[in-house]
Amino acid sequence: YVALKFLKPSYSINSQNKDKLLVEGRILEELNKHPHIINVRAYIGKDEHHGAYLVLDYIAGQTLQSKHPKGIPIELPTVIHYVTQIASALDYAHEHRILHRDLKQNNIMITATQDIILLDFGLSIDETNSDFELPNGSSMGFPETMAPERWDYRSQRESDVYALGVIIFELLTGQKLFE
């Protein structure tokens, strides 16, 4: 089973969107061996007739946010089960110098077997790339889970850990950390 993430051919072949999609493909290819990170099967960015696309594993399940709506706290053993898998995926990415930078409940899938799959590496970067800047008007992540340094366009491993901490708080309390 596969899912596609693609850009229509009407986008310029030199567009920032195509470049971001290719970076996401390369990052996911590097992280393909982890059981809690979405697998990429292929990515193409130079096809003028079909646009740019990623071919990803299809994950049957629900996002963490849709399975556990806000306002309802989750039992501690369930949170531990989820967080152990999310932290394992983040640790693996960090070992490969990859920062997710967009960790939120909608980017975490729960399968029918209660396995966690981390999705959407579209804002991810190699942490050794100190020259990286987001272009004007680009999204920099989800404000409710962003670490303070992310507001200054700086990212580090601890930024992902901060986002995970916000998610843990929300799961345990059923409330947002900040409104």
Side-chain angles (χ1 to χ4, degrees):
Y1 297 96
V2 296
L4 293 175
K5 182 175 184 178
F6 66 94
L7 298 174
K8 295 178 183 175
S10 59
Y11 284 163
S12 165
I13 287 301
N14 295 322
S15 73
Q16 291 173 340
N17 289 329
K18 181 205 69 141
D19 293 341
K20 285 169 51 176
L21 195 69
L22 291 177
V23 167
E24 183 177 4
R26 284 192 293 271
I27 285 172
L28 285 171
E29 186 175 58
E30 185 172 335
L31 301 177
N32 255 358
K33 292 183 178 156
H34 196 277
H36 301 295
I37 296 176
I38 185 85
N39 283 319
V40 64
R41 300 293 178 163
Y43 59 98
I44 305 292
K46 297 182 180 180
D47 186 334
E48 296 179 27
H49 302 290
H50 299 101
Y53 61 89
L54 292 176
V55 180
L56 303 167
D57 280 351
Y58 173 75
I59 307 298
Q62 295 177 281
T63 66
L64 189 58
Q65 184 172 4
S66 64
K67 182 168 176 88
H68 300 288
K70 71 178 180 177
I72 303 170
I74 302 172
E75 297 289 325
L76 182 59
T78 303
V79 173
I80 291 170
H81 177 74
Y82 293 162
V83 170
T84 301
Q85 294 176 67
I86 298 165
S88 174
L90 284 178
D91 185 53
Y92 186 80
H94 291 169
E95 286 175 3
H96 287 81
R97 302 175 325 277
I98 303 299
L99 304 178
H100 189 280
R101 302 184 340 138
D102 194 22
L103 191 62
K104 59 187 176 187
Q105 290 188 34
N106 270 339
N107 286 342
I108 300 167
M109 288 290 288
I110 304 172
T111 68
T113 59
Q114 301 303 300
D115 287 325
I116 293 292
I117 306 294
L118 189 55
L119 310 173
D120 197 354
F121 281 73
L123 292 179
S124 297
I125 60 167
D126 184 320
E127 72 180 329
T128 61
N129 184 356
S130 59
D131 297 330
F132 182 85
E133 285 186 36
L134 290 166
N136 289 337
S138 289
S139 173
M140 50 189 257
F142 188 61
E144 293 174 358
T145 57
M146 279 177 43
E149 65 273 7
R150 294 275 293 118
W151 290 97
D152 293 329
Y153 298 97
R154 293 179 292 121
S155 298
Q156 54 199 29
R157 292 176 183 198
E158 292 83 359
S159 305
D160 286 342
V161 174
Y162 177 92
L164 179 57
V166 172
I167 291 169
I168 293 168
F169 176 88
E170 292 176 358
L171 294 175
L172 289 172
T173 65
Q175 300 173 9
K176 293 200 174 293
L177 181 59
F178 299 109
E179 287 297 327

